[in-house]
Amino acid sequence: MDDVKNKPRRDFIVLTASAVAGVGAVSAIWPLLDSLNPSADVMAMASIEVDLSSIEVGQAITVKWRGKPIFIRHRTEKEVSTARSVNVSELPDPQTDEERVKKGHEQWLVMIGICTHLGCIPLGQSLGSPKGEYGGWFCPCHGSEYDTSGRIRKGPAPKNLYLPEYTFLKNTFIKIG
Ligand code: FES
């Protein structure tokens, strides 16, 4: 039996924002617009907006932003409390969970989904995929393990998963970039 068929469809949600195509188009015509100094326009096009309302607790989605995968996880209460019970001074890249999320939106973790070792894309986005010993993400390339705050806990990666610039426009609506 095909294992993929047994998993919930929502497990495989991958969204590609239309703004990504817009960025490419703007880049292609850059020489023509250069004299008009369109940098503000380019920056605006380089942002994407993501509706989080359909992501259930415990689920994660991946969106593309400026060519990079952005991991968005709707964390469970347990994932949040586990991330906050860690002794930060013992972490390879010390950072509190509070520093990695937006105040009042602690359940949402938004990160660049690229391993800080050599750039592989960690596993852990879909419900059934390996999340490593710390319940976050597992990089299959050389075994780095990230926790439910996306902090590096084990393996060769030197840094926590990076955070993109983003803001909450509404309770379940964010703008990245
Ligand atoms: S690229 Fe992820 S552990 Fe090496």
Side-chain angles (χ1 to χ4, degrees):
M1 176 80 71
D2 183 354
D3 193 37
V4 170
K5 286 183 184 156
N6 291 332
K7 292 183 177 177
R9 180 168 151 56
R10 63 184 183 225
D11 219 339
F12 295 90
I13 295 172
V14 175
L15 301 177
T16 303
S18 57
V20 173
V23 172
V26 169
S27 301
I29 59 170
W30 172 263
L32 298 175
L33 296 176
D34 196 22
S35 62
L36 300 175
N37 189 20
S39 55
D41 292 348
V42 172
M43 286 315 295
M45 294 294 284
S47 301
I48 59 170
E49 294 180 1
V50 185
D51 182 358
L52 309 178
S53 60
S54 62
I55 310 171
E56 292 175 19
V57 176
Q59 285 185 342
I61 66 164
T62 303
V63 298
K64 242 188 205 173
W65 173 66
R66 297 183 188 173
K68 299 186 180 88
I70 301 295
F71 289 174
I72 302 174
R73 187 184 284 188
H74 191 173
R75 301 188 297 176
T76 63
E77 278 182 27
K78 186 164 185 291
E79 286 174 326
V80 174
S81 62
T82 301
R84 295 187 171 201
S85 65
V86 169
N87 182 352
V88 173
S89 65
E90 292 175 1
L91 298 174
D93 181 14
Q95 203 174 23
T96 64
D97 184 65
E98 287 84 345
E99 291 174 87
R100 295 181 55 77
V101 296
K102 303 292 186 195
K103 196 168 169 41
H105 304 281
E106 289 78 8
Q107 70 274 42
W108 296 106
L109 185 60
V110 181
M111 310 182 295
I112 297 173
I114 297 176
C115 182
T116 60
H117 180 222
L118 293 176
C120 290
I121 298 178
L123 303 174
Q125 283 294 88
S126 60
L127 294 176
S129 73
K131 293 179 171 53
E133 196 182 320
Y134 300 91
W137 289 264
F138 170 74
C139 183
C141 292
H142 313 96
S144 286
E145 298 188 30
Y146 297 89
D147 66 14
T148 57
S149 191
R151 295 171 299 200
I152 182 64
R153 301 295 296 273
K154 195 173 177 182
K159 306 293 283 180
N160 302 331
L161 291 176
Y162 293 115
L163 309 176
E165 205 182 293
Y166 73 98
T167 50
F168 274 85
L169 301 178
K170 287 190 278 186
N171 212 21
T172 54
F173 209 85
I174 60 170
K175 179 180 175 188
I176 304 173

